[in-house]
């Protein structure tokens, strides 16, 4: 039987509810703006053991992002292991021994995506496929399927895809050359699948990485290798994020700066360089710096880390803009050249504020 409430009783209850709401005893639903502001950017590191076992480049990347002021981020994944020196958000999707082709064939990714709902995927995946002598066309077909599954979960998914770090395991004499051949195919594949809504960006993790000094077994990065990987991911990932306000020690002021170039390595068609930026003031800290590189004819910058590139000018990355009097920082870059391998000779000029 339906109960019938007296009109005066109902009016009295309604008045009580209004009074309680006015006193803050009854909460109102959050506004859409408040919900949006509270939502961090969700980033999924995706791959095999290089990403997840333990994949300490993730901890270094997390640390760099935090120091740069990217506070509203959340690494996501169905795996979590805190086994690196730096405390970090250890959620990831780095499955030791997994192949990109098997992951695509068995439709494993949709379940991970549904559980974690990423906005950005950072993918270093395919080393085990290369090791297994799977053809590049087959691996790239798996990449295409994986990106399609990412977009089905989130039409605005942003994807960073690595050109794989080199490997040289004792049990696979051909793996090094296979990795080079596969990496050469990735940029054209990415250019064909990228869209304005869901961009696919290639991050070169191969160049400048040495299996002799940057791995402990010819395959998995050691601390030096983790640092190189984090440094390569940082500029590509930070370009997709909105920074917060990093903590800056000291009082910034107006000071000068110097920029000194050093050639790290050179090869046919390109080279890796490093620039040391030094605050030349005796008393004042900098709050920002910018270095303009004058490259020889035929040279072109292709990638920068620990800095933000605009034209031929590299600006600080936010976290390394504040330099105490006399302090220094460095940024690195890759450049292509039409010349034969040899000692490159760009010049660098610096301004600071």
């Amino acid at each position: 039987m339906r109960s019938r409430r007296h009109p005066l009783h109902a009016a009295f209850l309604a008045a009580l509810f209004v009074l309680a709401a006015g006193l803050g005893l009854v909460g109102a639903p959050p506004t859409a703006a408040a919900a949006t502001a509270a939502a961090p950017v969700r980033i999924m590191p995706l791959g095999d053991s290089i990403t997840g076992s333990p994949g300490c480049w993730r901890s270094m990347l997390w640390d760099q992002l935090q120091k740069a002021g990217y506070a509203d981020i959340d690494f996501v994944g169905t795996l979590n292991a805190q086994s690196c020196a730096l405390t970090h958000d250890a959620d990831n999707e780095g499955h030791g021994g997994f192949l990109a082709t098997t992951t695509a064939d068995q439709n494993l990714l949709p379940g991970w995506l549904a559980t974690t709902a990423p906005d950005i995927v950072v993918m270093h995946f395919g080393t085990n496929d290369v090791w297994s002598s799977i053809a590049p066309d087959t691996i790239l077909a798996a990449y295409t399927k994986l990106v399609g599954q990412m977009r089905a979960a989130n039409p605005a998914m942003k994807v960073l895809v690595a050109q794989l770090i080199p490997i040289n395991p004792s049990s696979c004499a051909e793996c090094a050359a296979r990795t080079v051949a596969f990496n050469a195919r990735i940029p054209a594949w990415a250019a064909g699948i990228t869209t304005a809504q869901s961009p696919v960006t290639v991050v070169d993790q191969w160049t400048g990485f040495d299996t002799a000094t940057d791995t402990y077994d010819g395959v998995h990065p050691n601390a030096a290798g983790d640092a190189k990987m984090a440094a390569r991911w940082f500029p590509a990932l930070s370009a997709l994020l909105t920074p917060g306000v990093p903590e800056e020690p000291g009082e910034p002021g107006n000071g000068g700066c110097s920029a000194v170039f050093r050639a790290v390595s050179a090869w046919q068609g390109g080279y890796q360089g490093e620039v040391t930026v030094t605050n030349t003031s005796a008393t004042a800290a900098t709050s920002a710096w910018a270095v303009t590189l004058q490259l020889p004819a035929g040279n072109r910058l292709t990638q920068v880390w620990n800095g933000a590139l605009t034209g031929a000018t590299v600006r600080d990355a936010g976290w390394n803009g504040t330099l105490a009097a006399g302090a220094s920082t460095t940024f690195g870059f890759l450049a292509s050249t039409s010349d034969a391998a040899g000692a490159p000779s760009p010049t660098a000029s610096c301004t600071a504020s």
Side-chain angles (χ1 to χ4, degrees):
M1 179 182 296
R2 180 181 299 174
S3 64
R4 300 186 64 181
R5 181 175 294 160
H6 193 282
L8 290 177
H9 187 201
F12 177 71
L13 290 176
L16 282 178
F17 183 85
V18 171
L19 177 61
L23 294 174
L25 301 177
V26 177
T31 65
T36 301
V41 179
R42 300 170 66 83
I43 303 165
M44 173 191 281
L46 172 64
D48 47 40
S49 58
I50 292 172
T51 295
S53 304
C56 288
W57 61 260
R58 291 182 288 105
S59 69
M60 294 182 179
L61 178 59
W62 175 265
D63 187 61
Q64 289 184 31
L65 291 167
Q66 295 300 300
K67 289 179 178 177
Y70 297 99
D72 293 330
I73 59 172
D74 181 13
F75 280 10
V76 298
T78 60
L79 305 177
N80 181 292
Q82 285 281 359
S83 55
C84 301
L86 292 171
T87 301
H88 65 293
D89 183 344
D91 294 337
N92 73 94
E93 216 64 72
H95 297 263
F98 277 40
L99 281 68
T101 49
T102 303
T103 300
D105 290 343
Q106 296 182 359
N107 294 313
L108 301 177
L109 182 59
W112 302 338
L113 294 168
T115 300
T116 60
D119 304 297
I120 300 171
V121 172
V122 175
M123 186 171 88
H124 186 287
F125 210 0
T127 297
N128 291 313
D129 303 79
V130 171
W131 199 334
S132 302
S133 195
I134 295 174
D137 283 344
T138 304
I139 305 173
L140 291 175
Y143 275 20
T144 299
K145 183 174 182 179
L146 294 175
V147 171
Q149 291 171 338
M150 295 173 197
R151 290 171 173 169
N154 179 356
M157 187 76 76
K158 297 175 176 61
V159 188
L160 301 182
V161 176
Q163 288 177 292
L164 305 176
I165 63 171
I167 61 172
N168 189 25
S170 58
S171 60
C172 182
E174 302 83 15
C175 277
R178 289 180 199 159
T179 305
V180 172
F182 177 61
N183 280 342
R185 299 282 303 279
I186 294 176
W189 166 83
I193 199 171
T194 192
T195 67
Q197 184 181 21
S198 174
V200 176
T201 304
V202 178
V203 178
D204 181 5
Q205 291 285 358
W206 186 88
T207 303
F209 196 101
D210 187 342
T211 57
T213 59
D214 298 328
T215 72
Y216 59 83
D217 60 358
V219 178
H220 298 91
N222 56 21
D226 285 328
K228 286 187 176 181
M229 291 190 70
R232 293 297 180 87
W233 285 125
F234 178 82
L237 182 55
S238 62
L240 304 177
L241 302 172
T242 301
V245 180
E247 295 182 4
E248 298 182 343
E251 291 294 329
N254 296 320
C257 62
S258 65
V260 178
F261 166 78
R262 178 178 74 90
V264 177
S265 59
W267 54 90
Q268 182 72 36
Y271 58 91
Q272 178 180 343
E274 181 181 85
V275 174
T276 299
V277 180
T278 302
N279 179 3
T280 57
S281 172
T283 57
T286 66
S287 59
W289 51 261
V291 173
T292 299
L293 294 168
Q294 295 180 336
L295 304 177
N299 288 210
R300 183 174 66 85
L301 292 174
T302 58
Q303 187 175 353
V304 170
W305 54 95
N306 297 338
L309 178 64
T310 304
T313 298
V314 178
R315 303 183 185 279
D316 63 84
W319 59 271
N320 58 355
T322 297
L323 297 176
S328 298
T329 188
T330 62
F331 68 85
F333 66 88
L334 299 178
S336 62
T337 175
S338 57
D339 301 331
S345 57
T347 59
S349 58
C350 184
T351 58
S353 59

